[in-house]
Amino acid sequence: MKNFRSIMLPVFVILFLNIFVTQYCMAYIHGISGRTLKTSSDGCGSCHGPVTPGNLGIIITNLHNVTPGQSITCTVTVLTESRTKTGTGLNISVRSGSLSVVDPRLHLMNGELTQNTNIALVNGIAQLQFTYTAPAFGTVDTIFAAGVTTNRDSLASGDDWNFAISSSVTVSPSTTVHSISENIPVNFKLEQNYPNPFNPETTIKFSLTKSSLTRVTVYNLIGQQVAELVNESLQPSTYEVRFNASALTSGIYFYKLISGDITETKKMLLIK
């Protein structure tokens, strides 16, 4: 009897774990949030198949630079070469902006997008659309995604999952940089913004001595980019660009001028 118990106890434990894992995974047939690289390094591995990512691709397309508050329609594609996989599920999240549903096979859960039910793969591919809305301030935002392909057997074994490559979106205010001089400057220069302190607009003036790709960006105290004011090729001249910080909070900010291999940074103060 003692030997029988010692043999059967591990069997019961294994059966219990199999039933528990199966029921646990089936509980998320309608999706689960918090599975992307925004918040988790486990992905879908805690429920589906192996611990490490498997053989499938997840791609987010139709992304482009946007202005604060602008909405764009994006496409997420899940694809696999395995013809034994017939269904898919996914989770899409964003760092600063917001997401909303376009494809009725998706729904919003805790601010993230996930499936309503197991989504059918057609020739190993599923494509779904969603809307990304940029935050009200300039930044470089990130969209994350994770997905899984299943056998439609309600079991975790044999499933594959993977992370998407995180996608960046540059959110830049609509600004116009214009030349204020016909003369070619003698020295490269980034001047102090005026007025300073300011609320909510200020002007940034700079001089270029040669033609080059030029960027003017704004950062907060912890080094996060909050605005990109200029990103284009400019000729030698003196320029002005307006910066509207109405979407930002009071505090110290830094603006940086990069032109060719020359960089200069200055500090400004927003007081509301």
Side-chain angles (χ1 to χ4, degrees):
M1 177 66 81
K2 183 177 181 180
N3 289 338
F4 175 78
R5 288 177 179 174
S6 64
I7 293 172
M8 292 305 297
L9 182 59
V11 173
F12 285 132
V13 170
I14 292 172
L15 287 173
F16 171 78
L17 289 175
N18 283 339
I19 294 171
F20 174 79
V21 170
T22 299
Q23 302 244 342
Y24 174 78
C25 293
M26 289 178 66
Y28 296 119
I29 189 82
H30 300 303
I32 182 173
S33 59
R35 295 292 91 196
T36 71
L37 286 172
K38 177 185 177 182
T39 52
S40 170
S41 59
D42 296 333
C44 309
S46 58
C47 187
H48 293 274
V51 175
T52 56
N55 184 28
L56 75 151
I58 308 164
I59 305 169
I60 299 175
T61 54
N62 300 349
L63 295 175
H64 53 79
N65 293 353
V66 296
T67 56
Q70 182 182 353
S71 297
I72 57 174
T73 299
C74 307
T75 300
V76 58
T77 302
V78 180
L79 63 161
T80 177
E81 294 180 353
S82 174
R83 290 300 178 260
T84 64
K85 304 298 187 293
T86 58
T88 185
L90 46 79
N91 178 209
I92 307 170
S93 63
V94 64
R95 186 179 301 282
S96 301
S98 61
L99 305 173
S100 56
V101 174
V102 173
D103 193 300
R105 292 173 292 179
L106 297 174
H107 70 280
L108 204 61
M109 177 186 291
N110 300 320
E112 302 180 3
L113 294 173
T114 187
Q115 77 277 1
N116 288 322
T117 187
N118 201 309
I119 299 167
L121 290 167
V122 179
N123 297 321
I125 298 176
Q127 286 190 318
L128 303 95
Q129 290 188 317
F130 64 95
T131 297
Y132 162 77
T133 300
F137 52 88
T139 187
V140 178
D141 207 356
T142 307
I143 300 178
F144 308 88
V148 60
T149 52
T150 66
N151 299 313
R152 280 188 179 271
D153 58 5
S154 299
L155 299 176
S157 60
D159 293 347
D160 287 330
W161 70 273
N162 210 341
F163 291 116
I165 297 176
S166 300
S167 303
S168 296
V169 183
T170 299
V171 183
S172 300
S174 297
T175 57
T176 301
V177 58
H178 61 277
S179 174
I180 58 172
S181 174
E182 296 181 356
N183 300 322
I184 296 178
V186 176
N187 298 311
F188 175 93
K189 187 177 183 181
L190 175 63
E191 299 189 18
Q192 186 64 52
N193 65 299
Y194 60 92
N196 187 48
F198 69 100
N199 178 31
E201 288 194 347
T202 188
T203 298
I204 296 172
K205 183 178 176 181
F206 59 93
S207 300
L208 306 179
T209 58
K210 60 181 180 179
S211 302
S212 57
L213 177 63
T214 301
R215 294 186 67 206
V216 177
T217 48
V218 181
Y219 298 86
N220 60 20
L221 271 176
I222 61 174
Q224 294 175 322
Q225 181 177 310
V226 297
E228 183 177 64
L229 307 181
V230 180
N231 187 359
E232 59 185 282
S233 293
L234 297 177
Q235 301 298 314
S237 186
T238 299
Y239 294 89
E240 280 187 349
V241 61
R242 296 284 292 173
F243 173 47
N244 188 315
S246 57
L248 301 178
T249 58
S250 297
I252 296 173
Y253 294 86
F254 300 90
Y255 59 102
K256 179 188 292 186
L257 169 65
I258 303 175
S259 188
D261 56 358
I262 303 176
T263 300
E264 190 169 345
T265 303
K266 287 189 179 295
K267 182 171 62 175
M268 58 184 172
L269 179 61
L270 171 63
I271 298 178
K272 292 187 172 182

